Every structure is written in C-alpha cells, then in structure tokens.
Amino acid sequence: MKTDTNKPLAFRRYPSTTALQCFETAARHLSFTNAAQEMHMTQSAISKQVAQLEEMLNLSLFYRTPHRISLTPAGKSYYLEVLEILKHIEVATTNLMSHSSNTELLKIVSHPTFCARWLIPALSGFSQEYPLINLDIKELAGPFFSEDQNVDIVFLYGDGMWSNMESIKLFDEYCVAVCQPQYLRDKTLSTECLNDYVLLQISSRLSAWYEYFKQQDISVDGTFVGPRFETFHACISAALLGYGIALVPLRLVEPELQSGALVMAWDYAAKGRGSYYVTYPVSSGQSHKVKAVLEWITAYLAISDEREKALGLVL
C-alpha cells in the first residue's frame, strides 16, 4: 500500500507550540534540567513533551545517556527548522501586539547604502505625518527582489523594468570621484599619474573606473588594483579615512561634499548605466499606504532638487 508523502498532516498530528518550545530549549542547552529551569517547568514535564514529540514523529531527536543528551542527525535538522518557526511566531506576535488595530504596516526593501544615505533622510517626518502607518524597512544587498516577496515598496537600481511591478524613476545615477581633502596634498592631480593614487573599488562594479575615464575619452593602461569593498557605504567610509579615491553616486555622498569632508578629485560626473526607481506591485497601486509614501517621496525629491540647484550639484 502506497503512502502519499505529499498529503498534509491532519490537524491533530501537528506538534503543539509547547512541545516545540520544550524541544528547542532542550536542544539549545543539551540538557533537560537547564531547559526546565528556563521554561519554569519540571524536568519530567520537559522530557515528557519531547518524548511525545518523538512518538508523533516516529523518530528519535536525542541520544540519551545517564549523564548527557545529544542531538541525533534528524534532531539537528529539525532543531534548525523549529528555531525558524518559533522566530516567525515571535515576530508575528510582537508585530501584532505592538500595533493598534487601526494601524497599517508598510514593508519597504532597499539596498543598505541607498537606505542609510538617501531613503532614511527622505522618510524623515513621515511617521509624524502618518501615525497610523508603521514603517518596516528591510535592507538587502544584491539582486534581492522576487515577485513572491511580501513587500509593499521596493527601491531598486536598474532599467525600470520588473515583472508585475509599477516603477517610478527617482533619478539617474551620476558617479563622482571623491576623496579626503588632505589626500590630495603633495600629489599632482592628473589622469596621467594614476599610479600615484589608490583607486577604491566596488566588488560588483570592477569596470567602473574604466568607464569613468572612457566617458572622458581618456585612455588608461593597466589594471586598477585598489582595495575592494562590498558596498558604496564602505567605500565612502574608506575615502573619509584617507584610503584613496572612491567612485560613488553623487546623490549618496552629497552631505560629505556639502560639509567639505570629501572633495571631488576630478571635476567630472560619469553617467551610470541605470537609474534609481521606487517600485511596487501592480496590485498595490491603489493602497492608501503606498500612495502616501509615493506622494511623500515625490515632495522630498522636489525639495531636494531645489536644494541641489542652489548648491550647484545638479547635473
């Protein structure tokens, strides 16, 4: 007789959260005694919960000896899964308890550097203006977006074409070469003497310096071998500490240029291959919370553009 392994467990066959908590605590401590102390239960109650869980699963989760317990291979695998399940329950419960019944949660995803240097300043004051919309901002590096992600707003860099997503262009990318003012002392600032400088690299854009000089019709030889960094944020931090010259998006380094903490090594801004966009699922276009953020970002951009014109930073 064949057994349908894809058939879901009957409701009564799901383990209780108490059993999962007892197992997770015992697995973490590798001790029923310590688990009992943390759970404020008796050792026998912990042991019984774990034994009933093993009986339901029809496999052993622990090796037991008179003086210690250890996880079986199945127990190790199950522990990692149970740990994630309990974390999800904790987060969901905390989120629900921390928000009143008439509030909405707005889930935003952004690259870490863009989030820290542009998005967070852009959203300053939003929560005061919209107290019933709670922001949940997640930072993820790399190609992170997929259609099945549970998000409301995503800030992306690219061509603006993402499946089942509406995209609104924020601004083009222009990259500038910046460094600490003192870094230029006693140096002849010329593209003919590139070996005299340390050109900081971004791991995901190893050809960026070549493109920067190519757009200026400057022929360069050799390979740029400066320190590599994973994010623009790290690269900017390195430039501030005098590591060398960083090639970074102008919008992400405006505060340092305005304050004089960084200066432009060469008076040129290279246009990037892509632009920055705010995107959202087509199905969410009429959502009140999504509309509120889009209107807020649009207003911020208008103010930001006027400020940049006054400072002479608009290209």
Side-chain angles (χ1 to χ4, degrees):
M1 175 176 155
K2 285 187 176 182
T3 302
D4 185 0
T5 57
N6 293 320
K7 185 177 180 181
L9 287 170
F11 178 75
R12 67 179 184 278
R13 298 295 294 169
Y14 283 118
S16 67
T17 53
T18 299
L20 295 179
Q21 286 177 302
C22 289
F23 165 68
E24 185 277 328
T25 309
R28 178 159 36 86
H29 290 289
L30 291 179
S31 166
F32 290 141
T33 300
N34 292 342
Q37 292 175 350
E38 180 177 322
M39 297 278 298
H40 302 289
M41 298 170 64
T42 64
Q43 180 181 347
S44 61
I46 294 286
S47 181
K48 183 177 180 181
Q49 286 286 341
V50 173
Q52 290 176 342
L53 180 60
E54 290 176 315
E55 183 180 355
M56 191 206 77
L57 296 171
N58 196 28
L59 52 81
S60 296
L61 298 174
F62 291 101
Y63 295 121
R64 294 167 173 82
T65 65
H67 302 293
R68 63 187 297 269
I69 61 173
S70 60
L71 287 165
T72 64
K76 290 179 181 179
S77 176
Y78 195 52
Y79 169 71
L80 296 176
E81 297 286 350
V82 168
L83 191 60
E84 287 301 310
I85 291 169
L86 293 176
K87 284 181 180 178
H88 282 304
I89 294 174
E90 180 182 13
V91 170
T93 303
T94 302
N95 283 341
L96 187 62
M97 293 176 66
S98 62
H99 301 147
S100 61
S101 60
N102 59 343
T103 61
E104 296 180 277
L105 185 65
L106 180 70
K107 297 184 177 181
I108 299 174
V109 171
S110 172
H111 187 277
T113 303
F114 186 86
C115 182
R117 292 188 159 264
W118 192 87
L119 181 57
I120 290 178
L123 291 175
S124 176
F126 180 85
S127 295
Q128 287 73 30
E129 185 72 19
Y130 297 93
L132 297 183
I133 300 177
N134 292 292
L135 300 178
D136 182 1
I137 302 175
K138 190 171 187 178
E139 299 174 277
L140 292 175
F144 51 77
F145 181 73
S146 62
E147 295 175 25
D148 59 348
Q149 283 186 299
N150 182 23
V151 296
D152 299 303
I153 293 279
V154 188
F155 289 85
L156 296 171
Y157 174 80
D159 59 8
M161 303 298 291
W162 292 280
S163 178
N164 295 324
M165 299 289 288
E166 290 286 350
S167 300
I168 299 174
K169 184 177 177 179
L170 297 174
F171 43 78
D172 292 321
E173 180 185 72
Y174 286 90
C175 289
V176 292
V178 298
C179 61
Q180 186 188 73
Q182 291 183 340
Y183 183 78
L184 299 179
R185 288 184 179 178
D186 302 322
K187 289 185 174 66
T188 302
L189 195 58
S190 168
T191 54
E192 297 176 359
C193 305
L194 292 179
N195 290 333
D196 294 340
Y197 320 127
V198 176
L199 302 182
L200 307 180
Q201 312 287 316
I202 294 293
S203 299
S204 60
R205 299 192 184 191
L206 295 180
S207 63
W209 279 110
Y210 283 104
E211 294 177 9
Y212 175 79
F213 292 119
K214 183 179 179 181
Q215 287 188 25
Q216 302 175 69
D217 294 322
I218 297 172
S219 177
V220 293
D221 297 319
T223 302
F224 301 126
V225 292
R228 294 183 184 180
F229 300 91
E230 189 69 25
T231 66
F232 284 124
H233 184 74
C235 202
I236 293 169
S237 297
L240 286 166
L241 292 171
Y243 277 50
I245 304 175
L247 185 59
V248 296
L250 173 61
R251 293 267 186 170
L252 303 185
V253 77
E254 284 179 3
E256 287 78 11
L257 289 174
Q258 293 171 21
S259 69
L262 292 175
V263 296
M264 290 178 60
W266 292 285
D267 189 20
Y268 182 78
K271 192 174 189 305
R273 295 181 178 181
S275 302
Y276 290 90
Y277 292 85
V278 56
T279 70
Y280 55 91
V282 174
S283 59
S284 302
Q286 299 304 312
S287 166
H288 165 69
K289 59 186 180 182
V290 169
K291 284 184 175 180
V293 169
L294 294 179
E295 291 174 2
W296 185 272
I297 292 296
T298 300
Y300 177 81
L301 278 172
I303 296 172
S304 179
D305 287 343
E306 288 300 319
R307 183 175 65 248
E308 288 164 7
K309 287 179 183 178
L311 292 169
L313 294 175
V314 173
L315 301 167

